[in-house]
Amino acid sequence: MLKFIKSLYFTNRFFLILLGFVAAFVFAYIFPAFFIVLKFVFSGFVLLFLADIFLLFMTKNGIAAERLLPEKFSNGDDNPVHITFTNLYSFPLKISAIDEIPHQFQIRNFHFEVKLKQGETKDYVYNIRPRQRGVYQFGKLNVYAETVLSLVRRRYVFCEKKNIAVYPSFLQLHKYDLRAIHSKLTDYGLKRIRRLGHTMEFEQIKDYVSGDDIRNLNWKATAKRNKLMVNQFQDERAQPIYSVIDKGRVMMMPFSGLSLLDYAINASLVISNVALQKSDKAGIFTYSRKVENRVPAERRKAQMHNILETLYNVRTDFAESDFGRLYADIRRNISQRSLLLLYTNFENRDSLTRQLPYLMAIAKMHLLVVIIFKNVELKKLIQTEAVTTREIYHKVIAEKFDFDKYLIVNELKRYGIQTILTEPENLTINTINKYLELKARGII
């Protein structure tokens, strides 16, 4: 009996009809002639109410539902959640479902409705976009079934609590995978880079065909074979590519719900995959007070799995970053000249000036690319028309901070340090573009 009471719910239609009967009985008190008719109508309503309860509860398990979740979610991307409903009653149903999604989304009224014919199975799909890495817990799936009368509902509860891990954006791997192999990312705003020369890694001597570079003619082989022969070269491979991620307070700033740190983590995962496909060696490490989360640059089957797991476990308290310790660690642990993609941020020239000596020292040993972020919120403020004195003041300050970013870029370039200034949303695209550019120019 207690289980029956817990699963029985009254609809809004039931309360509205009941309220109407209350008003009608008050009216019948004033006009007694309507009282007898009203009693018959009310008796019919009670019979319909009891019939509705009987229809819903005569079948022990009238509804079957299942929530299908992937093994893990991709951070910052739309992840589908599939729910399958099956009507086991012998009549059509209207279903209202409330899914207890993880508390991180802060959505407390998530519900949807589905109509099912007799014996029909229907899928419902909704997307959720997590904004931070970690473990997300789904609760129960509450399903409320009602007949065409819609006087009462029967509650069904499905799916036990389940934890889902949110990993760095692995969906972007598939997005840029094939295009990165062919260096054709023009659909995403990237340009093809003209090769300035070729590397000196010799591959073979082959017969000359129309279109070969005549500067590569091998005259000794031509004299021996009595026909034109050319040297064929290939891109240098197995170059170490490191993603160096700043975990300091400058990476705490959120844009579109995602912190700069998570943007950098997502981009590092993709660029590592691209580097491995280009036959280079990919590695990562992070730093703030000290250097952590190290994956040495290697090229093996399990490398992407190691990088993914390491990036998933990146934790920080957003402390002040120590560039001096970063420089000492790089000098001690990375002996081979490597490409270092340094994800950090400088909001003004003073913050850069303090760290510039360390960046210059790193750039002497390795090919350093400093990646900093545009403040898109400042762009919005600058583009807004200012009317009051306060708004004009805010706009001028915003323009000053925005201009400082370009001064920072020029300062880094003046000391021969490669730089990327990008919007957070375009970080992955611009990082891949820079890597392919350096690869095409033979700098790596």
Side-chain angles (χ1 to χ4, degrees):
M1 185 64 182
L2 184 60
K3 185 177 180 181
F4 167 77
I5 295 175
K6 285 184 176 181
S7 60
L8 178 63
Y9 289 79
F10 301 107
T11 64
N12 291 335
R13 176 183 293 183
F14 171 81
F15 288 108
L16 289 174
I17 293 175
L18 203 62
L19 183 63
F21 274 114
V22 171
F25 275 110
V26 172
F27 182 78
Y29 181 79
I30 301 173
F31 300 96
F34 294 100
F35 186 73
I36 298 177
V37 177
L38 189 59
K39 284 197 300 183
F40 282 105
V41 175
F42 182 73
S43 299
F45 168 71
V46 172
L47 291 176
L48 289 175
F49 171 72
L50 295 176
D52 203 12
I53 295 177
F54 175 75
L55 289 173
L56 285 176
F57 287 86
M58 68 177 180
T59 304
K60 184 177 181 180
N61 296 309
I63 295 291
E66 183 182 11
R67 184 205 294 130
L68 302 177
L69 295 171
E71 292 183 2
K72 53 182 178 287
F73 282 157
S74 178
N75 191 24
D77 299 312
D78 287 330
N79 297 269
V81 177
H82 297 262
I83 299 180
T84 302
F85 299 99
T86 302
N87 180 9
L88 303 178
Y89 286 101
S90 57
F91 49 84
L93 282 179
K94 178 182 176 183
I95 290 176
S96 299
I98 298 178
D99 197 6
E100 298 177 0
I101 63 177
H103 67 86
Q104 288 91 338
F105 296 100
Q106 292 297 298
I107 302 176
R108 297 176 175 83
N109 59 345
F110 182 76
H111 69 280
F112 50 90
E113 296 181 352
V114 178
K115 292 183 178 180
L116 295 175
K117 298 178 182 178
Q118 175 184 347
E120 183 182 10
T121 298
K122 187 174 290 187
D123 292 331
Y124 182 87
V125 181
Y126 67 90
N127 292 314
I128 57 176
R129 177 175 291 189
R131 301 293 186 180
Q132 58 185 6
R133 289 164 292 111
V135 178
Y136 287 52
Q137 185 181 75
F138 280 82
K140 297 180 180 179
L141 175 62
N142 302 280
V143 179
Y144 300 86
E146 57 186 87
T147 67
V148 292
L149 297 176
S150 295
L151 296 178
V152 294
R153 292 177 177 175
R154 181 179 177 181
R155 179 194 180 195
Y156 293 89
V157 179
F158 302 96
C159 304
E160 295 298 324
K161 294 181 179 180
K162 184 175 182 179
N163 293 333
I164 298 293
V166 177
Y167 275 73
S169 182
F170 54 85
L171 293 181
Q172 292 189 28
L173 296 180
H174 309 294
K175 182 178 179 181
Y176 299 108
D177 208 358
L178 185 60
R179 295 176 175 85
I181 295 175
H182 299 92
S183 301
K184 293 181 179 179
L185 290 166
T186 52
D187 292 343
Y188 294 90
L190 302 184
K191 56 186 178 182
R192 182 176 289 184
I193 305 300
R194 180 173 64 90
R195 181 177 290 276
L196 302 181
H198 56 69
T199 64
M200 297 307 294
E201 186 172 346
F202 178 77
E203 183 176 7
Q204 65 176 344
I205 300 174
K206 71 180 188 70
D207 294 339
Y208 173 83
V209 295
S210 179
D212 283 341
D213 192 346
I214 61 174
R215 294 174 298 177
N216 294 333
L217 285 171
N218 188 318
W219 295 109
K220 289 184 178 180
T222 299
K224 289 180 181 179
R225 300 288 297 275
N226 199 24
K227 60 179 179 179
L228 292 175
M229 305 293 292
V230 294
N231 294 327
Q232 182 171 318
F233 299 90
Q234 64 180 2
D235 289 335
E236 290 188 10
R237 299 185 175 187
Q239 302 300 307
I241 313 296
Y242 279 97
S243 296
V244 186
I245 304 173
D246 188 348
K247 297 193 301 182
R249 60 178 180 83
V250 295
M251 301 294 282
M252 188 178 182
M253 189 180 302
F255 292 97
S256 301
L258 211 63
S259 69
L260 294 181
L261 175 61
D262 280 311
Y263 277 113
I265 287 174
N266 291 344
S268 298
L269 182 66
V270 176
I271 197 64
S272 298
N273 186 53
V274 173
L276 291 173
Q277 291 181 359
K278 289 291 185 180
S279 300
D280 285 329
K281 297 186 289 187
I284 62 163
F285 57 91
T286 65
Y287 72 98
S288 56
R289 291 194 184 99
K290 58 182 180 179
V291 177
E292 299 175 304
N293 309 111
R294 186 189 306 277
V295 178
E298 295 180 358
R299 187 173 184 269
R300 52 179 181 165
K301 292 183 179 179
Q303 188 70 354
M304 277 306 299
H305 175 74
N306 293 340
I307 290 174
L308 179 62
E309 290 295 332
T310 302
L311 290 175
Y312 168 71
N313 289 299
V314 170
R315 299 291 181 266
T316 181
D317 56 0
F318 294 105
E320 189 72 25
S321 297
D322 188 344
F323 280 77
R325 177 166 288 188
L326 172 65
Y327 163 69
D329 186 272
I330 290 175
R331 184 171 183 177
R332 183 172 59 253
N333 293 299
I334 306 178
S335 56
Q336 182 180 354
R337 179 173 171 81
S338 309
L339 170 61
L340 304 181
L341 300 170
L342 177 60
Y343 299 89
T344 186
N345 201 30
F346 299 108
E347 288 297 332
N348 53 67
R349 295 182 67 187
D350 291 336
S351 60
L352 172 65
T353 302
R354 293 194 298 270
Q355 313 301 345
L356 189 57
Y358 300 114
L359 298 177
M360 292 171 59
I362 295 173
K364 289 180 181 179
M365 301 182 295
H366 304 280
L367 177 56
L368 177 64
V369 178
V370 176
I371 304 168
I372 58 178
F373 298 88
K374 292 181 180 178
N375 192 326
V376 293
E377 297 299 328
L378 287 181
K379 284 288 185 182
K380 294 178 182 178
L381 181 59
I382 292 170
Q383 294 170 359
T384 304
E385 183 180 357
V387 179
T388 65
T389 304
R390 179 184 292 272
E391 291 175 349
I392 294 173
Y393 174 78
H394 289 165
K395 187 172 182 179
V396 170
I397 295 298
E399 290 175 347
K400 188 264 182 188
F401 277 107
D402 185 63
F403 184 66
D404 275 352
K405 288 285 186 177
Y406 295 95
L407 294 178
I408 290 170
V409 172
N410 291 333
E411 185 77 6
L412 288 169
K413 289 182 177 179
R414 189 161 68 92
Y415 290 98
I417 300 175
Q418 299 276 346
T419 310
I420 301 175
L421 177 61
T422 178
E423 296 87 357
E425 292 80 3
N426 297 328
L427 172 62
T428 302
I429 297 172
N430 293 332
T431 304
I432 296 175
N433 190 30
K434 174 60 75 171
Y435 167 72
L436 296 177
E437 175 191 346
L438 298 174
K439 192 82 173 170
R441 293 171 59 187
I443 299 177
I444 304 176

